[in-house]
Amino acid sequence: MEEEFHELTDRVRAELRSPQDLVAYERLLGLARKNTPAGREELARMLVAVERPLWAREIAAFILGCAGDKRAFETLVLLLNYREPVRCATAAHALGRLGDPRTARAAAALATNPLRTAYALHPVRLLAELRAPQSVPALIATLERLLTPHNPYWRVALACVEGLGALGDRRAVPTLTAAVGHPRLAAAAAASLARLGVHGDVPAPAGPGAAEGGARGGVPGQGPGEREKGAGGGSASDVSGRR
């Protein structure tokens, strides 16, 4: 956890706005270093305290989650679905180490919710990491929904393709085969199929879909997909629906 924790604390330090914030921040770091039962109790109280800043709850939840303290679950799931991808990534890291059976169900619900597709990238990656019973069905369902022309959430689809290959479940073969026909997903889908023992040539991009990647500078994924800000690096109006 050390590298991820340093990245988190460096980012949070840049968010501090007052001397009082700095004092609270240093106290959090002190609790993390001590790693005592009393310190974890204080961190847990921060998660439910009124008017605590988001960064304080994020640090507390990360420390508790990586320690396997299930009291961090709700806060981490909230952050997994947050509008800032860097917070989503931090939450996913802690959830992957929390060991709570609710995590896979929550990640599957977020990944498969069509209203939250913009924020589904890290839930999808977390499902692949967890290798839970919910992982393959959720990734297949999400990928099938995204196999439409000009879909702006191609990064989420790509994460599904890569995750299904890593999970090695042959239930994914029909959906991965369909993904081969999409220029942005073709190479990764073929690689995932190969990991499942299915080999074949990747079709050459053709038609309007190929023009998306080629006519706009030849860099796959730029163009219409940049609307996918929430999944790849961007904005939205709220935390989860209207939190």
Side-chain angles (χ1 to χ4, degrees):
M1 140 182 148
E2 189 162 336
E3 180 181 348
E4 291 78 10
F5 184 65
H6 284 313
E7 290 176 359
L8 168 60
T9 54
D10 287 348
R11 169 170 57 81
V12 166
R13 189 178 182 90
E15 298 177 15
L16 303 180
R17 294 291 179 265
S18 69
Q20 292 80 7
D21 284 347
L22 182 59
V23 170
Y25 169 83
E26 294 292 348
R27 176 158 184 77
L28 278 169
L29 297 193
L31 292 172
R33 294 188 196 100
K34 289 178 182 177
N35 192 27
T36 62
R40 288 192 290 275
E41 289 298 323
E42 184 169 346
L43 291 170
R45 288 194 294 272
M46 289 184 185
L47 299 180
V48 295
V50 178
E51 296 183 356
R52 283 285 183 179
L54 180 62
W55 60 260
R57 287 185 287 141
E58 181 181 11
I59 291 177
F62 183 87
I63 296 168
L64 292 171
C66 289
D69 191 319
K70 293 177 174 54
R71 290 175 291 184
F73 174 78
E74 285 81 6
T75 301
L76 290 173
V77 169
L78 176 87
L79 292 167
L80 181 65
N81 195 37
Y82 200 66
R83 63 178 176 264
E84 296 175 45
V86 66
R87 297 194 194 276
C88 301
T90 299
H93 179 85
L95 283 166
R97 285 140 191 83
L98 179 61
D100 192 315
R102 297 173 294 173
T103 298
R105 294 194 295 271
L110 294 174
T112 57
N113 184 347
L115 300 178
R116 307 300 296 170
T117 305
Y119 310 101
L121 180 62
H122 291 287
V124 163
R125 290 176 175 170
L126 179 59
L127 283 167
E129 178 186 345
L130 292 172
R131 295 180 169 270
Q134 297 89 345
S135 296
V136 170
L139 295 186
I140 290 174
T142 302
L143 179 57
E144 287 177 343
R145 176 164 48 82
L146 298 176
L147 292 180
T148 56
H150 313 297
N151 193 294
Y153 303 115
W154 65 272
R155 289 186 182 88
V156 178
L158 181 60
C160 290
V161 167
E162 294 170 343
L164 289 169
L167 290 169
D169 192 313
R170 291 186 63 86
R171 287 177 293 174
V173 168
T175 308
L176 289 172
T177 301
V180 171
H182 291 253
R184 285 172 171 163
L185 308 177
S192 290
L193 285 168
R195 297 180 74 172
L196 297 174
V198 179
H199 298 274
D201 294 331
V202 178
E212 289 180 19
R216 294 182 174 92
V219 180
Q222 292 184 351
E226 293 306 315
R227 294 194 303 271
E228 181 206 8
K229 294 287 187 176
S235 59
S237 58
D238 53 33
V239 175
S240 177
R242 288 283 178 184
R243 287 197 172 93

